[in-house]
Amino acid sequence: MPFFLPPVPALPPGIDRSGKTAIVTGATQGIGLEISRQLLTCKVSNLVLAVRNLPKGEAVRQALLSEPAVKTANPNATIQVLKLDAENYESVQHFVSVFKAEFHDLHLLFANAGIGTAAKELASSGHEKNIQVNYLSNVLLTLALLPTLETTATKTGEPTRVTWTGSRGHKQSSLAGKPSSKKGEQVLKHLDTADALPMFTRYADSKLLCVLFQLELARHYGPDKVIVNSFCPGMVDTGMTDVLPIYLRVPVNAVKAIRARSPKKAAWIALNAAVVAGAETHGRLLGDMAVEEPWEWIKSEEGQRVQKMVWNETIGEMAGMVDLPVWDINGDGMPQ
Ligand SMILES: NC(=O)c1ccc[n+]([C@@H]2O[C@H](COP(=O)([O-])OP(=O)(O)OC[C@H]3O[C@@H](n4cnc5c(N)ncnc54)[C@H](OP(=O)(O)O)[C@@H]3O)[C@@H](O)[C@H]2O)c1
């Protein structure tokens, strides 16, 4: 990415999602809040804010409903706040069961919640926290909601959508520089146990796993019913850096002040991925509004080996928690 980010075109006028139900994770601030706002002005009928902090989510719900633009565009919108803490699988599973009990349909899922911590911390699952929040919980959420997304697609005759908030920062991953894994060493285990990683690489590692998983998903699961993609909005002026230690926050915020895009523009990029772009984006990361060519390392023999390991390890872990879809056994993304 150039230092000065290129302009972002606004969404085409007239996007109308009335009658649709959408979920946004991490909807309390930053990009997720702005995605929520824009979904409402695009007339989404039911919006579910999936948040870890219920009082904060409730305050956001009330603020959104009282915004003049929302009241004018979508006076009958319903917004529901449901608990989802992406730090643990149980919370994701509980969210899905509550959602399914209340809603029959799901048209749009934005898996957006994310963190970028510098120090090593483990989530209650035993996985490194960035990996759990930014990657593993998104996989579980997506797989657990696939049956609902598929049923809705069948009913409406058009694919439903899953869009993850990704990052071109995945190219800073520690996995790329790593010599071939020791025989038998698993990728997830390695990331959970690695102690001394350079700053920010845990975030990059988590976002690389997202890219690898979606690329492999598209080889096993076609886009006929559900289109799954992700987008990178470039640097965005959000609270994400607030958790950094002061000696990092000050320089990062200085760069942000010059370079970062507004959350509003980031949400244009998000909605482009989820409602404007088509099946050609299935399994792919959009950089701004265009599909990115996968990073050279991913295309290398080692990258492809790691991609398959990540897929197998992740699916192996998910198998104990969710009914997996019938995968395309040829692995070519074509229906069987
Ligand atoms: N900002 C950037 O430059 C940039 C660039 C590329 C990609 N991204 C990605 O954009 C996404 C949104 O980040 P942002 O920039 O909008 O940052 P943000 O302002 O810090 O928002 C993060 C959101 O995620 C929620 N969240 C964090 N941990 C959670 C958990 N364990 N369970 C549920 N929700 C959780 C936060 O909830 P609370 O309000 O409760 O904290 C908040 O709503 C992330 O996936 C991030 O990686 C950001």
Side-chain angles (χ1 to χ4, degrees):
M1 286 295 282
F3 183 80
F4 291 105
L5 303 179
V8 180
L11 291 168
I15 296 176
D16 184 335
R17 286 295 175 267
S18 36
K20 313 280 190 225
T21 297
I23 296 172
V24 181
T25 74
T28 47
Q29 61 179 50
I31 299 168
L33 171 57
E34 192 55 42
I35 291 172
S36 304
R37 179 176 285 125
Q38 291 185 22
L39 285 172
L40 289 167
T41 53
C42 289
K43 301 187 168 63
V44 153
S45 296
N46 303 302
L47 176 63
V48 176
L49 309 179
V51 305
R52 63 175 164 178
N53 179 335
L54 287 175
K56 193 171 173 186
E58 181 53 30
V60 166
R61 185 183 85 84
Q62 286 178 19
L64 285 171
L65 284 173
S66 62
E67 284 186 15
V70 172
K71 281 201 231 165
T72 307
N74 200 350
N76 300 317
T78 69
I79 307 180
Q80 199 149 336
V81 181
L82 296 183
K83 171 100 177 171
L84 187 159
D85 185 343
E87 257 185 60
N88 68 79
Y89 285 135
E90 295 74 23
S91 179
V92 176
Q93 285 172 309
H94 185 251
F95 168 83
V96 171
S97 64
V98 174
F99 176 82
K100 284 184 175 174
E102 297 202 18
F103 294 90
H104 297 299
D105 296 330
L106 177 61
H107 303 84
L108 295 155
L109 166 63
F110 287 88
N112 164 78
I115 53 169
T117 54
K120 182 181 168 189
E121 267 183 273
L122 295 184
S124 58
S125 59
H127 291 295
E128 194 282 324
K129 231 182 225 182
N130 292 267
I131 304 291
Q132 184 66 50
V133 173
N134 300 349
Y135 172 58
L136 290 167
S137 288
N138 285 347
V139 176
L140 178 59
L141 182 66
T142 300
L143 294 180
L145 288 168
L146 267 189
T148 310
L149 288 154
E150 288 179 354
T151 310
T152 308
T154 304
K155 247 193 246 175
T156 58
E158 65 171 328
T160 50
R161 313 290 299 238
V162 175
T163 293
W164 294 4
T165 307
S167 173
R168 279 166 279 208
H170 71 270
K171 297 176 192 170
Q172 309 304 318
S173 168
S174 64
L175 288 176
K178 188 177 175 298
S180 276
S181 299
K182 283 180 252 145
K183 213 167 178 217
E185 188 187 28
Q186 297 197 313
V187 180
L188 293 176
K189 187 106 195 135
H190 161 73
L191 292 173
D192 292 340
T193 52
D195 280 318
L197 288 183
M199 208 73 82
F200 299 124
T201 50
R202 294 180 199 283
Y203 175 77
D205 291 337
S206 70
K207 295 294 185 182
L208 175 64
L209 297 186
C210 295
V211 172
L212 297 177
F213 181 85
Q214 287 207 358
L215 284 167
E216 198 61 28
L217 176 79
R219 299 184 65 241
H220 292 79
Y221 183 84
D224 314 356
K225 292 262 169 76
V226 187
I227 298 171
V228 182
N229 63 20
S230 59
F231 69 92
C232 170
M235 181 181 256
V236 187
D237 186 9
T238 69
M240 207 181 154
T241 47
D242 293 354
V243 295
L244 294 176
I246 185 89
Y247 66 92
L248 284 174
R249 212 180 325 137
V250 170
V252 170
N253 283 349
V255 175
K256 241 171 49 174
I258 305 169
R259 184 169 187 255
R261 287 178 170 142
S262 64
K264 180 177 177 177
K265 289 181 179 164
W268 289 348
I269 293 170
L271 263 70
N272 173 71
V275 304
V276 179
E280 74 287 354
T281 64
H282 184 58
R284 305 297 296 271
L285 173 74
L286 286 86
D288 297 352
M289 293 183 174
V291 170
E292 283 265 304
E293 184 60 18
W295 176 32
E296 284 307 312
W297 179 82
I298 293 177
K299 294 193 274 184
S300 71
E301 200 180 318
E302 178 66 358
Q304 285 300 293
R305 193 180 71 82
V306 172
Q307 179 171 310
K308 291 202 166 32
M309 285 176 75
V310 167
W311 172 262
N312 288 332
E313 289 174 31
T314 306
I315 290 303
E317 180 148 333
M318 297 299 144
M321 291 182 284
V322 69
D323 290 335
L324 295 171
V326 178
W327 302 119
D328 164 20
I329 46 168
N330 301 319
D332 58 7
M334 301 301 287
Q336 286 173 61

